[in-house]
Amino acid sequence: MIQSQTDLADYIAADLQMHGLDGWRPQYRLTRRIVFFQWLLRRCEYWENCRRDPVGRIASVILRFRMHRLGERLGFTIPRNAFGPGLSIAHPGTIVVNLDVRVGASCRIHQGVTLGSLRGRSPTIGDRVMIGANACVLGGVTVGDDVAIGAGAVVLHDVQDGVTVAGVPARQVSPRGSGAVHPWAVLRP
């Protein structure tokens, strides 16, 4: 969760690094719409979490409106403060994330993903997780670190660290995790 301007800069830098970019450029507003959406998301989180004064409230409302409008165009329903640093959205397309979902650092999400609640419980997803196209993670499941979730998988049970899961319902198909699937997208300390 972003709690200061330093956190904001770190989150934006991690997001850009996951997209293979060195730094923020104003032309990304037109040329890289997903990166611009994530930039708006992080700025909105900062203004909402850190600035409670009238200027902060006004800025938060304006940023939320812009983020919501762009999210509708891209097909994203992503709440604020759900993702850690290093979020990478691969493509425009429907992405639905429940308000109570918590996702760790360096997560890559493809189009058609649903991270939703089931029976009032929402998932918790670890660090360096790759979620394939049209995958669903539902209920109060815990997905470990370095996990790859295959395209079209429906995750209804907990997933241990460092594995690949696929299928309906999702089962382990490989002992190798997200580092084997997308080694370029994994941020290591």
Side-chain angles (χ1 to χ4, degrees):
M1 181 180 274
I2 296 174
Q3 297 293 333
S4 68
Q5 284 187 339
T6 304
D7 289 346
L8 174 64
D10 293 344
Y11 273 60
I12 290 174
D15 289 353
L16 290 170
Q17 185 178 2
M18 285 292 287
H19 283 279
L21 302 171
D22 295 332
W24 173 253
R25 309 259 188 285
Q27 63 263 29
Y28 293 162
R29 293 171 190 246
L30 300 173
T31 60
R32 297 183 178 261
R33 302 297 280 174
I34 294 172
V35 172
F36 181 51
F37 173 83
Q38 289 181 220
W39 183 83
L40 283 173
L41 175 69
R42 298 311 186 180
R43 306 266 316 162
C44 192
E45 289 172 355
Y46 167 75
W47 284 97
E48 189 172 294
N49 296 342
C50 301
R51 296 291 302 267
R52 306 257 185 226
D53 58 338
V55 173
R57 289 188 184 130
I58 292 169
S60 181
V61 168
I62 292 168
L63 286 168
R64 273 186 287 165
F65 174 75
R66 291 177 67 197
M67 185 186 79
H68 179 72
R69 193 174 62 178
L70 182 57
E72 283 180 342
R73 289 182 187 150
L74 295 172
F76 303 156
T77 304
I78 298 177
R80 294 168 304 283
N81 299 313
F83 289 89
L87 170 63
S88 174
I89 300 173
H91 307 285
T94 306
I95 296 175
V96 179
V97 180
N98 186 280
L99 292 171
D100 299 325
V101 170
R102 293 295 167 252
V103 181
S106 304
C107 181
R108 181 164 175 88
I109 298 179
H110 290 264
Q111 73 277 7
V113 169
T114 300
L115 305 176
S117 111
L118 188 64
R119 297 185 196 102
R121 300 179 64 213
S122 296
T124 302
I125 299 173
D127 298 338
R128 296 172 306 279
V129 174
M130 193 283 298
I131 304 174
N134 300 315
C136 295
V137 182
L138 302 172
V141 301
T142 301
V143 176
D145 297 338
D146 298 308
V147 171
I149 299 173
V154 178
V155 179
L156 299 172
H157 302 288
D158 291 351
V159 178
Q160 65 183 353
D161 293 348
V163 299
T164 298
V165 296
V168 179
R171 293 186 178 91
Q172 180 178 336
V173 295
S174 173
R176 299 177 342 172
S178 62
V181 178
H182 285 293
W184 57 269
V186 179
L187 291 178
R188 297 285 182 188

